[in-house]
C-alpha cells in the first residue's frame, strides 16, 4: 500500500522527466537491467527474441519504443522501423486454425500513435492516421496483426478516433483500453463488436483522480467489470495482466461464456513471469508476449519499475551490488 501511495507516482513522474532520464541512463548497471525488459535496440535483436518466443509456443506482439514525438522526421523514422520489422516478420507469421470470427495470428505489432506524429503541432492527428495506415498495410502483407497502444488520458479521444477510421480498412485492428480510466466501461461496450480485438490492461500512466480510479482495489474492480463486458461481447478479448487473480477471473469468465481457447488470449510483458507464461501455454491457452525494442527505452523501463515492487527491488539491489 505504501508503495502505491508514494513510490509509484514518483516513478511515473520520473518516466517523463528529461533530467531523471539523463541520470538513470548514465548509471552503468542500468543497461544490463533494461535487457531484462527490453529485447535490444535493433530489428535483428527483436527478431532473435521473437523467434525464441514463438518456438516456445507463445505468440508475440512487438513494440518499437518511442512516444511523444514532436518531430516529423522522427515519426517517419519510426514508420521505417516498423516497415523493416514487418518485412522481417513475414516468414514467422502464420494464422492458427480458429473457429472465432478473427483468425488468430501468432505475430503482431503494437503502435503508439504519439510516436507516429500524433503530437505534431500541425496536422498531428492526420499524420498519425496516415502513418498508422502505412504500417497496417504492411502488416496485412506480412500476415501480422496490429494493435494500437493506449497512452495517457489526454490522447484517448484522438487515439480511438483514429482506431475507428483505421478499422474501416483493417477490421481486425486491435486497440488497448485501460481499466483505471472511468470512461473505459463505456469504451468496452462501444468498441467490442463482432470481429473486434480489445487488449484490456489496468493502466500504466500517472492519471488524475478526476478521470481515473486511484486505489488498487478500485482499479481491480474496474478491470473485472470491463473484463465481463468483453467476455460477454462478440469480439476477441486480450487479457493483459500479470495478476493471478485477474487471470483466474478471465479464465473463469471465458469458461462461463463458452469461449474456446481460440476466442481469447492472455498477454504478459517480456521478461515478467516467464514460468507462468509457459505454464499457461502448457494448458493450451493462447499467451502473447509484449516485446519492446529500440533505443528509447527509458520511459517504458520506468513504468515497469512503477508497476510492481518486485521490479523496483530488483533494480535497487542490482544498483547496490554494483556500487
Amino acid at each position: 500500500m505504501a508503495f502505491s501511495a508514494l513510490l509509484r507516482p514518483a516513478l511515473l513522474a520520473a518516466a517523463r522527466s528529461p533530467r531523471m532520464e539523463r541520470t538513470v541512463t548514465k548509471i552503468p548497471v542500468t543497461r544490463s537491467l533494461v535487457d531484462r525488459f527490453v529485447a535490444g535496440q535493433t530489428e535483428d535483436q527483436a527478431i532473435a527474441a521473437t523467434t525464441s518466443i514463438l518456438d516456445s509456443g507463445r505468440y508475440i506482439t512487438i513494440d518499437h519504443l518511442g512516444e511523444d514525438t514532436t518531430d516529423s522526421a522522427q515519426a517517419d523514422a519510426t514508420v521505417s522501423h516498423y516497415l523493416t520489422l514487418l518485412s522481417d516478420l513475414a516468414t514467422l507469421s502464420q494464422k492458427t486454425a480458429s473457429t472465432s470470427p478473427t483468425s488468430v495470428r501468432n505475430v503482431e505489432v503494437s503502435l503508439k500513435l504519439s510516436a507516429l506524429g500524433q503530437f505534431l503541432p500541425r496536422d498531428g492527428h492526420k499524420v498519425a492516421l496516415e502513418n498508422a495506415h502505412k504500417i497496417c498495410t504492411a502488416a496485412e502483407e506480412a500476415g501480422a496483426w496490429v494493435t494500437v497502444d493506449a497512452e495517457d488520458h489526454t490522447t484517448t479521444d484522438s487515439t480511438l478516433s483514429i482506431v475507428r477510421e483505421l478499422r474501416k480498412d483493417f477490421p481486425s485492428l486491435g486497440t488497448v483500453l485501460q481499466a483505471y480510466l472511468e470512461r473505459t466501461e463505456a469504451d468496452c461496450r462501444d468498441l467490442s463488436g463482432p470481429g473486434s480485438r480489445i487488449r484490456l490492461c489496468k493502466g500504466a500512466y500517472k492519471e488524475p483522480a478526476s478521470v481515473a480510479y486511484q486505489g488498487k482495489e478500485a482499479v481491480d474492480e474496474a478491470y473485472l467489470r470491463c473484463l465481463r463486458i468483453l467476455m460477454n461481447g462478440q469480439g476477441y478479448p486480450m487479457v493483459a495482466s500479470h495478476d493471478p487473480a485477474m487471470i483466474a477471473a478471465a479464465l473463469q469468465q471465458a469458461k462461463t461464456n463458452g469461449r474456446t481457447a481460440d476466442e481469447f488470449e492472455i498477454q504478459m510483458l517480456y521478461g515478467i513471469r516467464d514460468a507462468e507464461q509457459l505454464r499457461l501455454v502448457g494448458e493450451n491457452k493462447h499467451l502473447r508476449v509484449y516485446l519492446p525494442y529500440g533505443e528509447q527505452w527509458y520511459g517504458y523501463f520506468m513504468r515497469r519499475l512503477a508497476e510492481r515492487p518486485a521490479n523496483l527491488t530488483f533494480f535497487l539491489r542490482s544498483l547496490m551490488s554494483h556500487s
Side-chain angles (χ1 to χ4, degrees):
M1 190 67 69
F3 175 85
S4 298
L6 298 174
L7 288 178
R8 186 173 187 275
L11 287 167
L12 291 177
R16 288 192 161 175
S17 166
R19 183 178 65 84
M20 282 298 297
E21 180 174 2
R22 289 191 295 271
T23 300
V24 171
T25 54
K26 287 179 181 177
I27 300 173
V29 71
T30 300
R31 183 67 252 175
S32 63
L33 293 176
V34 170
D35 289 342
R36 175 181 175 179
F37 303 109
V38 177
Q41 299 186 45
T42 68
E43 280 75 40
D44 286 346
Q45 290 171 314
I47 291 294
T50 293
T51 301
S52 176
I53 287 168
L54 293 177
D55 286 346
S56 73
R58 291 171 285 182
Y59 298 164
I60 197 81
T61 185
I62 308 175
D63 171 29
H64 179 262
L65 291 170
E67 54 194 89
D68 300 342
T69 298
T70 56
D71 182 301
S72 59
Q74 189 174 353
D76 290 342
T78 297
V79 174
S80 294
H81 279 289
Y82 274 105
L83 297 183
T84 300
L85 176 67
L86 285 163
S87 177
D88 293 339
L89 286 172
T91 57
L92 300 177
S93 180
Q94 62 184 27
K95 295 181 180 180
T96 64
S98 173
T99 58
S100 68
T102 317
S103 186
V104 181
R105 299 183 182 184
N106 65 333
V107 169
E108 178 190 72
V109 295
S110 289
L111 313 177
K112 284 185 171 60
L113 294 179
S114 74
L116 301 182
Q118 191 177 28
F119 291 162
L120 293 179
R122 297 181 61 183
D123 298 324
H125 182 96
K126 180 173 179 287
V127 170
L129 172 60
E130 292 174 349
N131 283 336
H133 198 283
K134 292 177 186 175
I135 295 170
C136 288
T137 300
E140 282 295 303
E141 294 173 356
W145 267 344
V146 177
T147 287
V148 174
D149 273 336
E151 302 181 64
D152 72 67
H153 80 279
T154 64
T155 70
T156 304
D157 284 333
S158 171
T159 294
L160 295 185
S161 173
I162 289 173
V163 166
R164 291 185 180 95
E165 189 67 26
L166 288 169
R167 277 185 170 184
K168 295 175 183 177
D169 291 331
F170 308 100
S172 69
L173 181 74
T175 193
V176 178
L177 297 177
Q178 301 179 104
Y180 68 175
L181 295 181
E182 294 180 2
R183 63 175 289 166
T184 297
E185 286 178 68
D187 288 332
C188 283
R189 293 188 181 93
D190 184 43
L191 292 164
S192 59
S196 65
R197 295 191 306 113
I198 301 294
R199 178 193 299 156
L200 181 66
C201 66
K202 289 185 179 180
Y205 292 83
K206 186 176 185 294
E207 301 286 15
S210 58
V211 300
Y213 302 107
Q214 299 297 305
K216 181 182 185 303
E217 183 176 348
V219 173
D220 285 353
E221 290 173 353
Y223 192 95
L224 292 172
R225 290 194 300 271
C226 292
L227 185 60
R228 279 192 290 271
I229 293 169
L230 297 180
M231 286 293 183
N232 285 325
Q234 297 175 288
Y236 180 83
M238 302 181 292
V239 183
S241 180
H242 303 99
D243 186 335
M246 298 301 108
I247 293 171
L251 297 177
Q252 181 57 52
Q253 287 189 32
K255 182 178 179 180
T256 299
N257 285 280
R259 287 183 177 270
T260 69
D262 289 328
E263 294 175 321
F264 74 102
E265 66 183 45
I266 308 296
Q267 297 190 355
M268 295 189 186
L269 298 172
Y270 177 74
I272 298 180
R273 301 199 72 199
D274 203 63
E276 176 65 4
Q277 294 179 21
L278 294 173
R279 186 189 72 80
L280 288 166
V281 170
E283 294 184 353
N284 297 316
K285 302 298 187 294
H286 289 335
L287 189 291
R288 192 176 303 270
V289 178
Y290 186 99
L291 184 146
Y293 81 102
E295 296 179 358
Q296 297 184 51
W297 51 262
Y298 170 76
Y300 177 86
F301 176 67
M302 294 302 287
R303 288 194 293 275
R304 298 296 76 77
L305 295 184
E307 281 179 344
R308 297 174 67 230
N311 293 343
L312 181 60
T313 300
F314 179 83
F315 181 52
L316 294 177
R317 284 177 178 169
S318 297
L319 287 181
M320 291 175 65
S321 68
H322 285 77
S323 61

